[in-house]
């Protein structure tokens, strides 16, 4: 089944699951011992279910945000100096600058501020604006299912206690089947949601999105590789890229992280009608100052750098004194890297990729692959190269809804005319709902 077909079934499927567990269980409880839900129990349970509906609807239908056309970064707000290319990112598909932490969603077809991922169950991006609603939905869904699990446990305990009694004194076979189905469905769903909730609370405490978690793991992999290879990795067109460890810049302390993610007032964090964060609050983020301001996030990645141009094969550079063996060796090595980079290689796949997989470049460099294999790196798809690199959970950026064409090759290709225009443009933007 295609992804679009699955997406069209997501909302009805979630709607049916919530209705079945929330209301079908209460109907069953009226006909099975010990008794129907007490008035207080029913009120609390149905209040939690109502909060589920509200927060789920807001997570689904709240606009995840956009980059205002007149948006200008803080780096270009000053007319004294032009914005640095190192701290600005350009989206060719949107033909606009990207704010920090924004990504181009292949499904929403635009750049989403502080994009976490595109959720298939809400058919919407989890972003700076929708993350609070999404987390509240997980909280209420988990709480209500824990409560429902308690009700089911009481009735299962009654059935088990009377297992030796005549069958006519207990529930009917149909009631037993439905009770068993509720137990299995609620338990499995609760287990999955509890893991998802714990993960999102952890991300909230560290101020890390799902995409940024992938980027952190990718950066750690590159740092380990560079440590083995002398601090440098091969980039496109024969360039050598120095890789050094960078700290994640947006972790500003647990309390401040949670305030930034959920809003400024802790008393309203779980209130289902809390206002949606504004557009402007998702365009710029406080940093911890551990890194130089000129260093951008994500850190440099040789396999995310675009080629300089589609040039014909490089010619032998002119050398004044070929007797200088060191200089000549450097030139020859540079040429070999360029030639390797220009080769089309499919690695056994049906379509050509941009560069050779890292494991082949590493092996060709004469290093001991066994020693590298012992390094705890992410799982590489050896037949597909870096474009299909996966993290330890087997995910690519594409799995989070990110447009990889824009994410990998367009971010640093900022037109000079745009930089000049932004230099003299006042910093302003408009909000919207």
């Amino acid at each position: 089944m295609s992804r679009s077909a699955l997406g069209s079934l997501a909302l009805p499927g979630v709607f049916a699951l919530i209705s079945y567990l929330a209301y079908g269980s209460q109907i069953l409880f009226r006909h099975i011992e010990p008794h129907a839900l007490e008035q207080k129990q029913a009120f609390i349970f149905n209040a939690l279910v109502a909060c589920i509906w509200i927060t789920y609807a807001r997570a689904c239908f709240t606009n995840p945000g956009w980059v205002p056309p007149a948006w200008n970064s803080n780096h270009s707000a000053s007319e004294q100096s032009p914005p640095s290319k190192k701290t600005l990112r350009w989206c060719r598909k949107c033909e606009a600058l990207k704010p920090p932490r924004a990504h181009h969603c292949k499904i929403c077809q635009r750049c989403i501020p502080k994009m976490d991922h595109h959720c298939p169950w809400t058919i919407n991006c989890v972003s700076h604006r929708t993350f609070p609603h999404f987390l509240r939905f997980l909280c209420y869904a988990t709480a209500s299912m824990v409560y429902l699990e308690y009700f089911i446990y009481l009735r299962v305990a009654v059935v088990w206690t009377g297992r030796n009694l005549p069958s006519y004194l207990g529930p009917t076979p149909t009631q037993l089947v439905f009770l068993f189905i509720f137990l299995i469905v609620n338990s499995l769903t609760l287990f999955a949601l509890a893991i998802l909730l714990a993960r999102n609370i952890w991300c909230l405490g560290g101020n890390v999105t799902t995409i940024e978690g992938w980027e952190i793991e990718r950066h750690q992999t590159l740092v380990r590789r560079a440590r083995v290879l002398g601090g440098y990795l091969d980039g496109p067109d024969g360039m050598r890229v120095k890789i050094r460890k960078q700290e994640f810049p947006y972790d500003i302390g647990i309390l401040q992280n949670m305030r930034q993610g959920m809003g400024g007032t802790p008393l309203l964090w779980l209130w289902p009608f809390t206002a949606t964060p504004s557009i402007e609050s998702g365009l710029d983020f406080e940093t911890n100052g551990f890194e130089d301001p000129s260093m951008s996030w994500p850190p440099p990645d040789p396999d995310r750098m675009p080629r300089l141009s589609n040039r014909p094969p490089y010619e032998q550079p002119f050398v004044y004194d070929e007797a200088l063996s060191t200089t000549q060796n450097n030139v020859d090595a540079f040429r070999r890297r360029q030639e390797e980079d220009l080769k089309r290689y499919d690695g056994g796949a049906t379509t050509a990729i941009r560069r050779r997989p890292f494991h082949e470049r590493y092996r060709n460099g004469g290093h001991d692959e066994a020693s590298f294999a012992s390094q705890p790196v992410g799982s590489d798809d050896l037949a597909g190269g870096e474009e299909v690199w996966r993290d330890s959970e087997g995910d690519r950026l594409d799995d989070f809804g990110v447009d990889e064409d824009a994410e990998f090759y367009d971010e640093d290709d900022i037109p000079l005319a745009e930089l000049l225009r932004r230099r003299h443009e006042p910093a302003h933007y408009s909000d919207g709902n």
Side-chain angles (χ1 to χ4, degrees), residues 8 148 152:
S8 64
L148 179 58
I152 295 174

Side-chain angles (χ1 to χ4, degrees), residues 188-202:
L188 292 178
T189 309
L190 175 59
F191 177 74
L193 281 182
I195 293 176
L196 188 59
L197 175 61
R199 180 188 179 96
N200 278 271
I201 291 177
W202 181 86

Side-chain angles (χ1 to χ4, degrees), residues 257-270:
N257 292 340
M258 298 182 72
R259 284 179 174 173
Q260 186 183 100
M262 298 297 293
T265 307
L267 294 177
L268 298 178
W269 284 353
L270 291 180

Side-chain angles (χ1 to χ4, degrees), residues 101 114 128 131-132 135 200-209 212 248-264 269 285-288:
R101 314 181 79 177
K114 196 185 176 183
H128 176 70
F131 177 80
L135 187 61
N200 278 271
I201 291 177
W202 181 86
C203 289
L204 176 66
N207 203 5
V208 178
T209 66
E212 288 166 345
F248 182 67
Y250 300 112
D251 185 357
I252 54 177
I254 294 179
L255 182 59
Q256 288 299 106
N257 292 340
M258 298 182 72
R259 284 179 174 173
Q260 186 183 100
M262 298 297 293
W269 284 353
F285 296 93
E286 181 182 352
T287 58
N288 51 34

Side-chain angles (χ1 to χ4, degrees), residues 172-200:
T172 66
T174 301
Q175 292 171 345
L176 283 175
V177 169
F178 275 105
L179 181 62
F180 179 76
I181 292 175
F182 278 116
L183 175 63
I184 297 300
V185 173
N186 189 73
S187 299
L188 292 178
T189 309
L190 175 59
F191 177 74
L193 281 182
I195 293 176
L196 188 59
L197 175 61
R199 180 188 179 96
N200 278 271

Side-chain angles (χ1 to χ4, degrees), residues 308-376:
L308 300 177
S309 62
N310 295 322
R311 302 172 182 172
Y314 288 84
E315 299 178 357
Q316 168 69 39
F318 180 77
V319 181
Y320 284 98
D321 186 0
E322 294 193 4
L324 297 176
S325 59
T326 302
T327 301
Q328 185 61 38
N329 289 339
N330 289 339
V331 170
D332 290 341
F334 183 75
R335 285 188 63 208
R336 284 194 298 271
R337 291 197 301 271
Q338 290 175 328
E339 291 169 359
E340 285 294 314
D341 217 27
L342 288 170
K343 290 179 180 178
R344 301 293 287 178
Y345 176 79
D346 62 8
T350 57
T351 57
I353 61 173
R354 189 169 69 101
R355 306 182 63 205
R356 285 183 178 273
F358 172 79
H359 74 288
E360 291 200 5
R361 285 184 275 135
Y362 179 85
R363 185 165 53 240
N364 293 339
H367 299 278
D368 179 11
E369 190 172 11
S371 64
F372 177 77
S374 64
Q375 299 292 329

Side-chain angles (χ1 to χ4, degrees), residues 12 33 39 44 52 95 124 136 155 158 197 203 218 225 243-244 274 306-307 327 335 344 356 365 395 407 422:
E33 292 185 1
Q39 184 175 4
I44 295 175
I52 292 177
E95 296 186 347
N124 197 11
R136 281 190 282 269
R155 283 144 185 89
V158 170
L197 175 61
C203 289
R218 169 68 175 169
R225 291 177 176 179
I243 304 295
R244 72 172 185 86
T274 300
R307 283 184 162 173
T327 301
R335 285 188 63 208
R344 301 293 287 178
R356 285 183 178 273
D395 293 321
E407 190 71 15
R422 292 276 173 169

